[in-house]
Amino acid sequence: MKLNDLLVGELRSSALYNSNIQVAPSVVLWTDKLRQWEPALPLLQAAMPELLVLGDYQPEKRQGPAIWLKCVIENTLPEFELPNDRTPIIYLPGYERRDLRAIAKCPEELKPLAELQYRGSWWVYNTAGRDWTVNAFLLSTSGGAGLDVAADKSTQAALLKVLPEILESERSDLANKRLEAPDFNKLISSDPIRDLLTWMNEPKPSRERWDDKRWDALVSIWETEFHFNPKTDGELTAAELLCRHQGPWEAVWQRYAETCTHYSEIPNLLLKVEPDLAADGASYPAVNEREEQKLEAELSKLVSGHSSSDVRKSLLALEKQHADRRDWIWYNLDLSPMAGVLQHLAKVADLTEHAFNGSTVDEMAEQYKERFWQADDQVLRALAYPLKNQHQELVQGLLTIIYTPWLEEINNNFQALVKQHGYNGELVARESTAEYRAGGEVVFFVDGLRFDVAQRLCRRLERLGELTLSHDWAALPSVTATAKAAVTPVHDRLTGRTTDKDFQPSLVESEASFSSHYLKKYLAEKGWVYLSETETGDPSTNAWVQSGDIDKEGHVKGLKLANRIDPLLDEIVERIEDLFSAGWRRIRLVTDHGWLLTPSTMAKVDIAKYLTETRWGRCALVKDNVQTEHLKVGWYWNKDVTVAMAPGIRNFTAGKHYDHGGLSLQECFTPVIDLINNQPVTAKPSVHATINEIRWVGLVGKLSCEVDGDGVVAVLRTQPGNAESELSPRKPLKDGKCTLMVDDQFEQTSAVVVLLDEAGNVIAKQPTSVGGDD
């Protein structure tokens, strides 16, 4: 039982009487000379609608002067009614019982109520008629809570400060122990460690936000539990204690370590603490800052006058020295960027220590598939790491030393094998597309899905179903016009003519160039559907989908493509989730080609213009019967058309970081991902809904929708098809409306408002930013 319920019961019991010898009391009078109970009035009046208060005229608070109270009791005010089944209770703050007993000396403001003592009853402590003090109520075993409360001044002061919190407490939580000031102070702060960290994060704003009662209670708690007084010790002392995290401050440190991202200003405070020589940098940001500066200086030394071998050895040695710092919380707070990017540089150094080769193209490709794609992946991660401009340039310089020569050598090796044994992709692409199933399969085309990026995508897709990653070879030259056409389900309707000068195949039935118009036309003739960006189609047919234009981003962004990989993959996953939700059971992801991305611009190699019909960065269409020093291959669509390939990772155009069209493992060894939806088939949703508006008021999203059925709920997710990514509780729609409340840690998070039917199917979604865009 809550103490408030006990108090209410005791007050009401004062109106009990023996009907055989007494008449019902008209009122219960409650005097409180010391005004101890006043802070709890809102709580008590909420529980007792019959409770009236003597004071200034404020009828909305059931408060007024004596004559008004008399009228209310007598039911002479039609606009104000008391409950019929309860005896009115009048609280008289600042007065005691004897002020009413001596009518001749009764204060004028009390005289209209004096006669009520004869036809009413009192709520008094004992037969002597003493007022119920808060302490008496808590101590008394007769009419009180029967608790063990210390009598010292600090305890007595504390319990009055937190009276509403005491009354809201369960009696069982306070019983069977000696209650002292810290016990009562804790009632006003359910989490004193959180409050301490909040204050350390913003001392002045926090103090201004907390009223004096709360502040005094917190000071008392912190002084008792952490031997720290913010009034006399200040925030710098708190910072020193937190960094040392000894004794009771160990719990504070552990909480900070778990929630450090919520306190953005504490690191700046802790930086003011000067650590001693034996200090553990895990808790002293100043140590971490010095280590970052040392690491930056060491890395800067490596970018000039050192061989690739020496730089690799140095990176691996530095990684051993600084790897532990990624376990410090400063890394989670993005205060260790050099230690963060170092892990990727060290992995590149390890993977590129030796340039791999093979006796056949397949052997070399297998080595790349099993291990060395990771070098490309780690380069992307290093380039994408959030750094200042000067640090990004430093990373690019280091990668130029350790990655670029390796990349050049392995692809020189690859081209030599192709020259000796031929290119594997001349027939493989056709064999791959011949395996498209008749009915129930989506072919999902992603332009420029390089093998290492596909590995990253696979990790995102594993939770959605049964996944198989295999490989294909791009049609040559590895440009979109040639290679995309080769993986379409309509490739058999295409050919290449010697008059096709831009690597775009033409139609078998006419000399028209293949285009999206003919792709859609031929798909329809084949019984396939072409799904636009938002369409989900009929799962009983076959469908072609294209999304995630990595290649376009590469040509536009260059090196900054590395930063765009994850957002592009998120879009692909979201589209796949939509297709699975619509009932598709199998999706095959295919691509046209990969690409090269070099930390410094690709070395330029010349090919005379008079030798070529068309010249692209990594390939050129050579004129008939012309000899050139460059490796030549036949065009995939017509072997009579000769294509010259740029050697290694060089380029016929200057200034390129990103390009494709040439002959390299990164451009030509392409992934094929088969994904089977292993979730139970659910009926297609019978309810339809449209989201009209999501309007944010702080962290409350007000949703307005149109719905043609029942049982629809709304929820906020980061991934629309993933129930584990929900940021808010699910809320049912009422008349097409509801509100979604989000924790402040998710403010400005990119999210999606999702509507679900009773079976949990996504029936509508709309992107938003938590809290709005402002």
Side-chain angles (χ1 to χ4, degrees), residues 269-336:
L269 173 62
L270 301 186
L271 275 171
K272 298 176 182 178
V273 178
E274 185 61 33
D276 56 44
L277 294 176
D280 178 6
S283 61
Y284 285 88
V287 173
N288 180 70
E289 188 176 69
R290 285 200 292 266
E291 291 297 308
E292 279 288 290
Q293 292 169 353
K294 287 169 56 178
L295 176 56
E296 181 184 354
E298 291 293 330
L299 293 175
S300 298
K301 293 177 183 177
L302 297 177
V303 293
S304 60
H306 294 272
S307 67
S308 297
S309 177
D310 289 342
V311 172
R312 290 190 184 98
K313 290 177 182 177
S314 296
L315 288 172
L316 293 171
L318 289 170
E319 169 66 4
K320 288 182 179 179
Q321 295 175 29
H322 294 274
D324 288 346
R325 287 202 292 119
R326 292 194 292 274
D327 294 328
W328 297 356
I329 64 172
W330 318 121
Y331 173 71
N332 296 330
L333 292 172
D334 299 326
L335 297 177
S336 309

Side-chain angles (χ1 to χ4, degrees), residues 469-487:
L469 173 63
S470 56
H471 71 271
D472 200 347
W473 291 91
L476 295 184
S478 53
V479 296
T480 300
T482 286
K484 177 181 178 181
V487 296

Side-chain angles (χ1 to χ4, degrees), residues 239-481:
E240 293 169 347
L241 292 168
L242 182 60
C243 287
R244 287 199 292 268
H245 55 90
Q246 297 175 351
W249 281 83
E250 175 62 27
V252 183
W253 173 259
Q254 290 302 324
R255 174 68 67 81
Y256 176 59
E258 295 167 0
T259 60
C260 57
T261 55
H262 296 170
Y263 306 103
S264 59
E265 296 303 317
I266 284 183
N268 294 327
L269 173 62
L270 301 186
L271 275 171
K272 298 176 182 178
V273 178
E274 185 61 33
D276 56 44
L277 294 176
D280 178 6
S283 61
Y284 285 88
V287 173
N288 180 70
E289 188 176 69
R290 285 200 292 266
E291 291 297 308
E292 279 288 290
Q293 292 169 353
K294 287 169 56 178
L295 176 56
E296 181 184 354
E298 291 293 330
L299 293 175
S300 298
K301 293 177 183 177
L302 297 177
V303 293
S304 60
H306 294 272
S307 67
S308 297
S309 177
D310 289 342
V311 172
R312 290 190 184 98
K313 290 177 182 177
S314 296
L315 288 172
L316 293 171
L318 289 170
E319 169 66 4
K320 288 182 179 179
Q321 295 175 29
H322 294 274
D324 288 346
R325 287 202 292 119
R326 292 194 292 274
D327 294 328
W328 297 356
I329 64 172
W330 318 121
Y331 173 71
N332 296 330
L333 292 172
D334 299 326
L335 297 177
S336 309
M338 302 312 294
V341 76
L342 177 60
Q343 64 182 318
H344 303 302
L345 292 172
K347 288 177 181 176
V348 175
D350 178 54
L351 290 161
T352 61
E353 186 174 4
H354 301 290
F356 66 99
N357 204 339
S359 59
T360 65
V361 170
D362 281 337
E363 184 179 322
M364 195 169 184
E366 191 63 28
Q367 293 181 65
Y368 180 73
K369 179 181 179 181
E370 292 299 318
R371 171 174 167 80
F372 291 103
W373 63 267
Q374 297 176 68
D376 300 324
D377 176 66
Q378 292 299 320
V379 167
L380 289 179
R381 295 182 187 277
L383 291 172
Y385 206 85
L387 300 170
K388 297 177 181 178
N389 287 340
Q390 66 268 29
H391 295 158
Q392 290 175 347
E393 293 173 0
L394 175 58
V395 167
Q396 291 169 29
L398 291 167
L399 290 174
T400 297
I401 296 172
I402 62 174
Y403 174 69
T404 301
W406 174 85
L407 189 63
E408 174 82 18
E409 187 172 351
I410 65 167
N411 283 306
N412 282 332
N413 296 341
F414 176 67
Q415 290 183 357
L417 289 174
V418 170
K419 184 175 182 180
Q420 181 180 358
H421 300 290
Y423 178 64
N424 286 27
E426 295 190 2
L427 294 176
V428 173
R430 289 190 186 276
E431 292 174 359
S432 174
T433 55
E435 295 176 7
Y436 290 150
R437 287 163 177 78
E441 181 174 24
V442 173
V443 177
F444 194 120
F445 174 78
V446 182
D447 194 355
L449 183 63
R450 197 168 73 171
F451 193 82
D452 58 305
V453 177
Q455 292 276 9
R456 202 183 298 193
L457 176 59
C458 285
R459 286 191 286 275
R460 285 169 159 80
L461 295 176
E462 285 174 345
R463 62 179 175 82
L464 299 182
E466 181 183 332
L467 184 146
T468 304
L469 173 63
S470 56
H471 71 271
D472 200 347
W473 291 91
L476 295 184
S478 53
V479 296
T480 300

